[in-house]
Amino acid sequence: MTEQRTAGATLAHVATAACATVLLGLHAVAGFFVLSALLTHSEGPWDGTVTGTARLMAGLGLAVELMALAGTAAAVNTGRLRRWWYAPAVALVVTALVRMVFAPRP
C-alpha cells in the first residue's frame, strides 16, 4: 500500500512540474514578443512600418499568452498549480493590449 501511495505522489509531482514547465515556456515566448513590441520605435518620419510591426509583435504575444492563460486555468482548476500563476499571464496580456492600442506613429 505504501508503494502505491509513493508512486501516485511521484506521478502527481511530475504532472505538476510538467504543467509549470510548459507554462513557463509559453510565458517566455510571449514575453519575447511583447518585449519586441515594446522596443519597436520609429526611426523617423519615413519609417511607416513601425506601427504594423509593433501591433504584430503585440498580437503574437497576446495569442501565445492566451494559450498560456487557458493552460493556467486548466492547471489551477485541476489543483496542480496555485492561483498566483494567473499573475504573469494577466500582466503580459494587459501589456500586449496597451501596446497594441498605443502603437507608435511614424
Side-chain angles (χ1 to χ4, degrees):
M1 192 75 139
T2 305
E3 290 180 20
Q4 288 177 348
R5 287 185 187 169
T6 304
T10 302
L11 186 60
H13 291 302
V14 169
T16 300
C19 288
T21 302
V22 168
L23 288 176
L24 286 175
L26 287 173
H27 290 319
V29 171
F32 169 76
F33 286 132
V34 172
L35 183 64
S36 295
L38 290 173
L39 295 178
T40 302
H41 295 288
S42 178
E43 294 180 10
W46 62 89
D47 191 9
T49 61
V50 67
T51 302
T53 302
R55 286 188 177 154
L56 174 69
M57 289 298 187
L60 289 172
L62 183 64
V64 173
E65 200 55 43
L66 288 177
M67 287 188 295
L69 195 58
T72 302
V76 168
N77 286 336
T78 59
R80 296 276 177 221
L81 298 175
R82 305 259 184 211
R83 286 184 296 182
W84 66 265
W85 278 85
Y86 284 117
V90 170
L92 284 170
V93 165
V94 168
T95 304
L97 287 173
V98 167
R99 186 56 172 173
M100 286 177 75
V101 171
F102 297 109
R105 300 283 179 203

